[in-house]
Amino acid sequence: MAARNSDSLDRETLLPLSYPPPSSPSQHTGPSNPILSRPRSWRALINTRLGRIVVFSGATLIALLALHGIFKPDYKAGVQKAYSWANGSGPPPGQDGRPYTAHMPEPTGSSGSTPGGIMNAGTGSGPGEVEGTGYAYGAHVEGHEWTMDELREMVKGTKGYYVRDWSLGLGWNNMRYIIEASLLHAQLLNRTLVLPSFVYMRGCEFSHDVCAAYAPQVDRFKEVGWRRDLSGRWERQSEDILLDPSIGAGLMKREDGQKDHTGWRVPIEYMFDLPHLRASQPVVLVSEYLTLHGLNPSSEWKSGMWGRWAYEKDNTYYMLPNQQYDPQDILRVDRLLPEVQQYIDNWTERGQLIQARLQLKKGNSELGMMEWEDVKDDLRDIGEINVDDEEGLELALREAGLSVLYTFQGSRGIDLIKHVTEPIRQVAPTKMLRGLYDDVNNINDEVLLLEGEVHLWRKPGSLRFTTSAARSNFQSIVLHSMQPHPRVREIGDLMARHLTEKVGGRMYFAGHLRRGDFVELGWALAHDIAPHLKMVTDAFQRGTETIKQIKASGDAHVAPVPGVQLNTTVLTLELPQQGDPFFLATDERGVDELAYCRSQGALLTPDIISFTDRRMYGWELLFSDIVMLVEQVVMSQSGFFYGYGASSVAGGTLNQRAARGRDPRTGVVE
């Protein structure tokens, strides 16, 4: 029998069933299609293969039309689901290339409760949501695109714009702290905050040319006009920098010996959830501001500084000089309280008694900043004052020309990591206070510019608060308004799920090792990797004992922050077992050092994230800065976290843990 080619097979489908195949001895020698070669009645046609196919197809079509009329399927929803998946938002749960078996949801309170904040949002029961996380896949592609008309309407509800000289030479966590403070200032002054349209990535997880294919590669020190001296301090190269949009031209190499200061310019929208932020506060980007004023958005200064004269067009701006923000003889607060001003240098008899006692205890007739608990101890044995009645004590201090201020405890005795999870009170002479609202709210210029930087060595918000309610409002900005990008949260949640699977559904512990330039500058806790990692594993042992005590007492609680409910996994999940791996986030890139960490049980991000995860998230995971954001999400969900009190990564992680309702005793920075 001769072999049949594809053409003969195609023709065979048109032959009647009773007709011999072309390869048979009685093969027909006429036209290839016998139906066309001789007339047949319709009854005879039904007996052919073609006829039966036609009849069956017609019956099927009629049945489908009937079903469509009954059920009316939602094709639009199906197309949208396919669109969301194709645009990188990820497949539905269980279809991400890994088994969907051991995912442990995070309880966030009693049934029927409504946890506050986006970190606790949702129940995990909606379509496309990962169970227990409250996050719907693809939600970010549904974000509202603001038109220029809508932005104009948003700005109309405010007095104008609040603008900054943005320190784009810093890493993202420090930039986020500056943005959080600026959101507070803009809200306080009823102004629209103007953010830079881009930031600079500082690290590439692959070779530089790979990252350069996705974002403009630049010398970021030259772009921002900053240099770093031997002590690690960032400095401006020239006083003329404020007036020159081509900031940084001809700068020397930075002075700390590191030659690689390559950066990549990335739109700021990839670093946080801008649509979510805009839902709570008026915010525009510099490029949008320029467009609204009929200026070329590409004229935005690459240094991050405000363009002064370059951004002017039929509008005016007022500049608050940097040296006037908080000189050494004042304390910057949000606003002054009228009821306390009357006691400045006009003390009551009780106030004079308080002043005399505190001056004696402090050994100085001119009081400065004092800690609340120290003041209580100093006044404890004065009969007329009950220091345990804190409200009454605050009123008594007012009569002594002293104000109670509300702020946050720093880490390691300094204010570097800007976490807002440990609220404290301090006491200072009322005459030292200067209210930001009181000083500049009377400015009616369209643009209010705060010159230079007011970030380093200052409290979160770059000021203190005169009421506890104002401090709580700032905590809400940090914990609930300023959120990671939805895709950062998405991939972080996936990694947390993978980790939970690897430890059999038990808790996983997480630590952060700040290495990189900290080692070279002498800022790391240890120079060598072995003793440095041992600090983390030793902390895990202490953390295990802490969690055992919490479980035994059943007394778990949230951090003193607004809008959260307790995450009960500290009570319900088992502690890690001997030999369980732990998650380690680090900027260490030495091959031998990383191999040592793995030999001690550490799982690094490349060990956890899958090819499917990378495809789902996209090009952003090329950049170390965004990988770090994902790692913060992972660490915020760990049973116990240990970090370094001089690293801004730790501060952001503590804030996220608080927003998730984690017991503050399960997160330690040293």
Side-chain angles (χ1 to χ4, degrees):
M1 179 181 293
R4 289 177 286 172
N5 57 30
S6 60
D7 290 337
S8 63
L9 289 173
D10 288 341
R11 287 194 302 270
E12 183 179 349
T13 62
L14 299 176
L15 297 176
L17 292 178
S18 59
Y19 205 82
S23 57
S24 68
S26 58
Q27 182 173 352
H28 180 66
T29 58
S32 61
N33 192 336
I35 296 176
L36 299 178
S37 65
R38 56 189 178 188
R40 285 175 174 261
S41 68
W42 64 270
R43 293 184 181 87
L45 181 62
I46 293 177
N47 292 325
T48 66
R49 177 181 294 183
L50 176 62
R52 292 176 180 176
I53 291 174
V54 171
V55 171
F56 178 77
S57 300
T60 301
L61 178 61
I62 293 172
L64 290 174
L65 290 174
L67 290 172
H68 182 276
I70 296 172
F71 295 106
K72 296 181 180 179
D74 188 355
Y75 292 115
K76 182 178 180 181
V79 171
Q80 179 61 41
K81 184 180 294 185
Y83 173 82
S84 299
W85 192 342
N87 279 273
S89 60
Q95 299 180 33
D96 61 346
R98 291 179 180 267
Y100 188 54
T101 54
H103 174 221
M104 303 298 294
E106 294 187 276
T108 55
S110 59
S111 60
S113 63
T114 305
I118 193 170
M119 286 295 190
N120 283 332
T123 61
S125 59
E129 287 190 6
V130 181
E131 183 180 354
T133 66
Y135 178 68
Y137 282 111
H140 55 280
V141 301
E142 300 170 4
H144 178 62
E145 292 290 338
W146 288 70
T147 66
M148 287 297 112
D149 288 340
E150 289 172 327
L151 290 176
R152 287 189 185 92
E153 287 300 314
M154 178 180 69
V155 174
K156 279 183 181 179
T158 65
K159 288 184 62 176
Y161 300 94
Y162 181 65
V163 304
R164 297 286 303 268
D165 289 325
W166 299 104
S167 299
L168 297 187
L170 297 176
W172 172 250
N173 276 290
N174 280 294
M175 268 297 298
R176 189 189 70 244
Y177 295 151
I178 298 170
I179 292 173
E180 290 165 353
S182 302
L183 287 167
L184 168 68
H185 299 175
Q187 183 187 84
L188 183 66
L189 301 171
N190 188 27
R191 288 180 174 269
T192 299
L193 178 62
V194 183
L195 295 175
S197 303
F198 48 78
V199 290
Y200 293 103
M201 302 292 96
R202 300 184 299 169
C204 180
E205 293 294 296
F206 301 89
S207 62
H208 286 185
D209 59 322
V210 175
C211 287
Y214 291 89
Q217 181 172 299
V218 299
D219 182 328
R220 60 187 178 89
F221 280 74
K222 184 176 180 179
E223 291 287 293
V224 304
W226 284 26
R227 68 178 182 180
R228 206 170 175 183
D229 65 16
L230 289 173
S231 67
R233 186 177 64 252
W234 296 83
E235 295 184 331
R236 293 198 185 281
Q237 182 72 12
S238 168
E239 293 298 327
D240 296 334
I241 202 168
L242 292 176
L243 303 177
D244 185 2
S246 59
I247 288 173
L251 288 185
M252 299 167 56
K253 291 182 179 179
R254 67 176 179 177
E255 300 175 4
D256 60 1
Q258 295 185 14
K259 297 180 180 179
D260 185 10
H261 36 89
T262 305
W264 295 266
R265 191 183 303 120
V266 170
I268 198 171
E269 298 99 310
Y270 289 101
M271 306 306 291
F272 69 101
D273 192 342
L274 180 58
H276 177 76
L277 177 60
R278 277 180 169 159
S280 61
Q281 188 166 342
V283 174
V284 299
L285 306 181
V286 171
S287 56
E288 293 170 333
Y289 169 90
L290 294 173
T291 301
L292 287 170
H293 289 78
L295 299 170
N296 188 345
S298 65
S299 64
E300 180 173 354
W301 285 13
K302 300 302 185 292
S303 65
M305 301 192 68
W306 186 252
R308 274 69 169 178
W309 51 267
Y311 293 174
E312 283 190 75
K313 184 177 181 181
D314 302 326
N315 64 337
T316 60
Y317 80 91
Y318 175 89
M319 184 176 73
L320 176 62
N322 184 268
Q323 63 272 20
Q324 293 183 18
Y325 181 80
D326 56 356
Q328 291 185 354
D329 58 339
I330 76 162
L331 286 173
R332 179 60 67 184
V333 297
D334 56 339
R335 65 172 75 210
L336 301 177
L337 299 179
E339 58 267 29
V340 305
Q341 303 304 305
Q342 60 180 310
Y343 296 110
I344 296 177
D345 297 328
N346 185 29
W347 309 331
T348 65
E349 183 176 344
R350 183 171 63 165
Q352 293 176 17
L353 181 62
I354 291 173
Q355 275 281 346
R357 171 58 65 89
L358 291 177
Q359 290 177 22
L360 177 64
K361 290 287 187 178
K362 305 304 179 185
N364 195 328
S365 60
E366 291 293 330
L367 300 178
M369 177 66 68
M370 297 171 284
E371 299 301 323
W372 172 254
E373 294 300 328
D374 292 344
V375 170
K376 289 175 64 176
D377 290 341
D378 291 341
L379 301 178
R380 188 167 296 278
D381 59 351
I382 296 181
E384 297 183 25
I385 300 173
N386 179 9
V387 297
D388 295 322
D389 176 9
E390 296 188 341
E391 184 176 349
L393 177 58
E394 183 169 348
L395 293 175
L397 290 171
R398 288 182 182 179
E399 297 176 17
L402 300 171
S403 290
V404 176
L405 304 178
Y406 298 82
T407 184
F408 305 96
Q409 181 64 53
S411 176
R412 300 178 66 87
I414 49 179
D415 295 297
L416 288 179
I417 66 174
K418 315 290 186 189
H419 62 302
V420 298
T421 61
E422 296 183 63
I424 62 170
R425 280 176 282 190
Q426 295 177 321
V427 179
T430 304
K431 64 182 179 182
M432 292 181 63
L433 309 186
R434 295 292 183 275
L436 181 62
Y437 177 87
D438 305 87
D439 284 355
V440 298
N441 189 57
N442 62 331
I443 303 300
N444 293 318
D445 296 76
E446 183 185 34
V447 175
L448 173 60
L449 165 65
L450 174 56
E451 179 193 35
E453 193 49 76
V454 293
H455 167 60
L456 292 176
W457 318 117
R458 293 171 174 88
K459 290 290 186 183
S462 296
L463 48 71
R464 291 172 172 83
F465 303 90
T466 52
T467 64
S468 61
R471 180 181 60 187
S472 294
N473 173 69
F474 179 62
Q475 288 178 306
S476 293
I477 291 175
V478 173
L479 301 180
H480 306 312
S481 297
M482 189 69 180
Q483 289 295 316
H485 192 284
R487 291 175 66 163
V488 166
R489 292 173 50 220
E490 182 175 331
I491 194 67
D493 288 345
L494 276 177
M495 286 181 59
R497 191 170 77 203
H498 299 337
L499 275 164
T500 303
E501 293 170 358
K502 287 179 179 294
V503 296
R506 294 179 292 276
M507 294 181 187
Y508 66 86
F509 283 6
H512 176 243
L513 273 189
R514 182 64 167 91
R515 303 281 295 170
D517 56 343
F518 269 38
V519 174
E520 183 171 347
L521 294 168
W523 295 353
L525 288 174
H527 184 276
D528 296 330
I529 191 68
H532 201 173
L533 184 62
K534 189 175 186 302
M535 294 180 182
V536 176
T537 55
D538 287 349
F540 288 167
Q541 294 179 9
R542 298 192 298 272
T544 298
E545 294 304 315
T546 297
I547 295 176
K548 285 181 179 179
Q549 294 173 9
I550 294 173
K551 286 179 174 291
S553 66
D555 182 26
H557 60 262
V558 300
V561 299
V564 300
Q565 289 189 354
L566 178 66
N567 185 306
T568 59
T569 54
V570 67
L571 300 173
T572 59
L573 292 186
E574 295 181 19
L575 282 161
Q577 293 182 357
Q578 186 73 23
D580 276 358
F582 59 90
F583 177 66
L584 184 67
T586 181
D587 56 348
E588 176 63 65
R589 292 299 181 265
V591 175
D592 294 338
E593 287 81 359
L594 294 180
Y596 176 79
C597 292
R598 289 186 171 101
S599 72
Q600 301 302 304
L603 285 174
L604 309 177
T605 294
D607 305 327
I608 303 166
I609 194 168
S610 69
F611 290 123
T612 302
D613 298 337
R614 289 188 181 277
R615 286 193 294 267
M616 181 186 70
Y617 191 73
W619 60 267
E620 297 98 317
L621 283 178
L622 297 174
F623 298 102
S624 305
D625 308 70
I626 300 182
V627 171
M628 174 272 301
L629 295 180
V630 172
E631 291 173 338
Q632 282 183 312
V633 174
V634 177
M635 292 186 290
S636 73
Q637 300 183 52
S638 63
F640 181 82
F641 164 72
Y642 175 79
Y644 180 28
S647 170
S648 57
V649 173
T653 302
L654 289 180
N655 286 338
Q656 288 193 32
R657 291 181 67 84
R660 290 182 181 273
R662 295 278 177 179
D663 191 305
R665 292 168 291 180
T666 64
V668 175
V669 296
E670 294 178 339

